[in-house]
Amino acid sequence: MTNHSETAGPFGNDDISGHDPSAGPADHTAQVTLRTPAELADALPYLLGYRPEDSMVLVALHDRGGRGRFGGRARLGIPANEEDWEAAARQLARGLVTGSERRGARPEGMVAYVCQEPGPGESGREVKRRLTRLAQLMRTECGSLDVPVVEALCISDGRFWSYCCPVEGCCPEDGSPMGLPGTSVLAAAATYAGLQVRGTLKELRARLQPWESAAALDQEIALDAAGMSLVPRILDETTREEVAQETLVLAERIIHRLAAAAPVSGTHPADVRDDGLLDADEAAALILGLQDRTTRDRAAAWMEGDVAGPALRLWRALARRCVGPYSEHAAAPLTLAGWVAWSTGDELEAREALAMALGADPDYLFARLLHQACNEGLDPEAVRRCLRAQDTQNTQASPARTARRSDPAPRQAPTESGQNAVPAPRTPADGPAPGPRPGAQRRRRTRGTDGDDHRTTARTKADRRRPTGSRPRSTAPGTARPGLRAASARRTRTTGPGDIATGGASSEGGLPRTEGDG
């Protein structure tokens, strides 16, 4: 426990970006010592890289020569049902401890946080009281693993409270005010190190969520038309490679178009600009083309250098275009967005994009494997090496593909020479590519033997493209949109993207998804 009236043992923060806590002192040049609960409360956004909402968080502490150093972090959304709190606390504690052990550094202690804003008519003080049992459960579960919680804090309504203060009357009943954002020593050190707090997860997810505006109807119509023309060609072995090439050429054109666009300030204005550079028919052709997993894997080679940034912007924009009944199709662009983010060092966006991909399609194997690897702190370089090697082989084996990419770009885009579309390899986990299947005209998508996807999303010929501005057709009972499971077969998710499974249901591999175990 920490005594709030005097300093306890210092917590040296040399791991605020989520590096392996077993790294020696020589691996880090900047250290910040945190001595009080106020400093611990201020540190949380910098430890996670965002400001948590509705969250229960554990941060591991490791003893390095008598100084505590931050290690892995694990976050879970607070279950709405209090009956699920115990299971959630158990998963959170065991997941973080197990992940730390897997990386060879079992934590000596923990710092626990519960963060939630007051509801209507509720005060921060009442939130603190209501979450007291949850904080105690987190302490109990950590203690059962022989890892004591040295401090447990509640953060709500711009104030914080400690659940561990042993001095009666030490802490104000109404809590202590949080410092102004960006004014602490830790904030200054993080800024100097180039680290940023990126708002909330809600704001990050908004960049990847489907449109709900009036433009969504036009995009759905374009997806209907693209499905009718492209899916039969994808299923036909004689035309499948042709569709793949068309998809990659179009994607490269738009990547160059995005790269040439004038920069704007702010994430939302930037996304609006990117949306304006991609029309509905182009987006539909790319979304449908990427449902073929070999095409998706070849597109995954745009993961580094100057092309990575605009490629990530394209995958985000395509995820936003997977509207209405095409929500499952977002698994492909979301997985590509997660892969590019991870390969360029942005683990936060990578986890969220990959978790959202699994939310769109829980059986999407590529997303599942990348999500697990990212959460376990693996180095993406091994995947990058595989992609580079296969890129070289494909380029040498098929030089004609490069010539096909010199087609003039639409919409007066700048000349698109210089960066060739890379025919990326399949990932080893995907197994052999699926060929056409019997019953190709069925509206339900087919699935490869490895559990990954090969969507057949064509509409029946009876469907007709609706005129712009018309109301969407209602779906008859007992029928399903093409490429989607029937409603009775759809899986139900009880957690938000990036969260650990709650309600006693374990996540992948029986372990919670953590924000960076270790």
Side-chain angles (χ1 to χ4, degrees):
M1 298 182 183
T2 55
N3 188 328
H4 294 200
S5 59
E6 52 187 275
T7 60
F11 298 98
N13 179 27
D14 67 345
D15 190 30
I16 58 180
S17 60
H19 297 296
D20 188 343
S22 62
D27 296 325
H28 304 282
T29 58
Q31 295 186 5
V32 177
T33 300
L34 307 180
R35 295 185 174 87
T36 67
E39 291 172 331
L40 288 174
D42 179 73
L44 182 58
Y46 298 94
L47 293 171
L48 296 179
Y50 58 91
R51 302 187 183 281
E53 300 175 311
D54 258 348
S55 300
M56 46 195 294
V57 180
L58 286 175
V59 179
L61 295 175
H62 299 272
D63 186 7
R64 296 289 184 272
R67 296 175 62 90
R69 298 184 184 275
F70 288 128
R73 288 76 102 180
R75 171 200 169 273
L76 173 65
I78 296 176
N81 190 342
E82 292 190 23
E83 294 178 357
D84 296 330
W85 283 3
E86 183 174 0
R90 182 178 303 114
Q91 289 183 344
L92 191 68
R94 293 184 179 179
L96 181 53
V97 171
T98 301
S100 298
E101 290 176 335
R102 202 164 50 236
R103 297 176 63 176
R106 179 180 175 85
E108 285 78 29
M110 295 278 193
V111 179
Y113 299 85
V114 289
C115 311
Q116 193 172 70
E117 290 305 299
E122 189 178 32
S123 67
R125 179 178 177 180
E126 291 169 329
V127 172
K128 180 256 183 180
R129 290 177 177 173
R130 177 166 52 80
L131 297 180
T132 298
R133 177 173 168 266
L134 177 58
Q136 184 58 42
L137 287 169
M138 294 169 67
R139 297 173 67 185
T140 300
E141 293 298 335
C142 290
S144 69
L145 299 171
D146 294 325
V147 182
V149 173
V150 300
E151 182 62 275
L153 299 173
C154 175
I155 300 176
S156 179
D157 198 24
R159 309 182 78 83
F160 72 90
W161 293 258
S162 172
Y163 292 109
C164 295
C165 182
V167 181
E168 185 176 355
C170 169
C171 301
E173 283 291 322
D174 290 331
S176 303
M178 299 282 292
L180 293 175
T183 60
S184 66
V185 174
L186 179 58
T191 302
Y192 179 77
L195 303 175
Q196 296 181 349
V197 176
R198 300 171 57 184
T200 66
L201 288 183
K202 185 177 181 180
E203 294 169 344
L204 192 153
R205 292 169 185 155
R207 307 190 72 186
L208 302 169
Q209 290 173 338
W211 284 350
E212 294 183 355
S213 63
L217 178 59
D218 289 338
Q219 185 60 64
E220 185 180 338
I221 294 172
L223 285 163
D224 287 347
M228 293 178 65
S229 63
L230 288 179
V231 172
R233 296 175 61 203
I234 294 174
L235 293 172
D236 188 338
E237 193 65 30
T238 62
T239 55
R240 182 179 174 195
E241 174 62 20
E242 182 180 331
V243 175
Q245 287 301 309
E246 292 171 359
T247 302
L248 293 170
V249 169
L250 177 59
E252 188 191 19
R253 286 176 178 168
I254 298 172
I255 286 173
H256 281 278
R257 187 186 302 163
L258 294 174
V264 297
S265 178
T267 57
H268 179 66
D271 291 341
V272 171
R273 173 206 57 197
D274 291 347
D275 289 336
L277 294 172
L278 178 65
D279 67 36
D281 291 335
E282 291 172 331
L286 289 175
I287 291 170
L288 270 296
L290 290 172
Q291 302 312 305
D292 178 84
R293 66 172 180 264
T294 57
T295 307
R296 176 209 65 195
D297 290 348
R298 290 160 67 178
W302 291 315
M303 77 234 166
E304 57 188 340
D306 294 339
V307 73
L312 177 57
R313 289 160 54 192
L314 173 58
W315 308 143
R316 287 192 197 119
L318 293 181
R320 295 192 293 268
R321 301 294 187 104
C322 294
V323 297
Y326 291 91
S327 60
E328 276 193 4
H329 292 61
L334 285 170
T335 301
L336 289 171
W339 160 239
V340 176
W342 183 38
S343 67
T344 54
D346 189 349
E347 294 186 5
L348 175 59
E349 180 166 1
R351 289 192 195 96
E352 291 307 305
L354 294 170
M356 290 177 69
L358 291 172
D361 184 352
D363 296 325
Y364 205 74
L365 183 61
F366 190 25
R368 183 174 297 277
L369 295 175
L370 290 176
H371 190 248
Q372 181 178 355
C374 184
N375 278 338
E376 291 181 357
L378 302 182
D379 189 348
E381 182 58 30
V383 183
R384 283 197 295 262
R385 283 197 299 266
C386 177
L387 291 171
R388 294 186 195 112
Q390 191 63 36
D391 169 30
T392 302
Q393 294 176 10
N394 286 333
T395 302
Q396 293 174 349
S398 186
R401 291 176 180 173
T402 302
R404 296 184 60 179
R405 296 184 181 97
S406 62
D407 296 341
R411 304 174 57 170
Q412 298 181 347
T415 303
E416 296 171 3
S417 58
Q419 179 66 44
N420 291 331
V422 183
R426 301 175 38 69
T427 55
D430 279 340
R437 293 174 176 263
Q441 297 304 317
R442 293 178 60 191
R443 298 170 68 187
R444 182 167 174 156
R445 79 166 194 246
T446 59
R447 192 175 290 277
T449 57
D450 62 354
D452 210 332
D453 60 300
H454 179 75
R455 301 174 189 268
T456 59
T457 52
R459 302 267 177 173
T460 61
K461 293 183 179 180
D463 286 339
R464 293 291 185 264
R465 179 164 175 169
R466 301 190 299 274
T468 303
S470 64
R471 295 178 61 84
R473 296 184 298 271
S474 60
T475 303
T479 63
R481 290 277 192 165
L484 301 180
R485 299 183 183 89
S488 60
R490 186 178 298 278
R491 298 193 179 196
T492 301
R493 290 178 61 82
T494 59
T495 59
D499 290 347
I500 302 166
T502 61
S506 57
S507 60
E508 299 169 29
L511 295 175
R513 303 178 188 125
T514 62
E515 299 291 344
D517 291 347

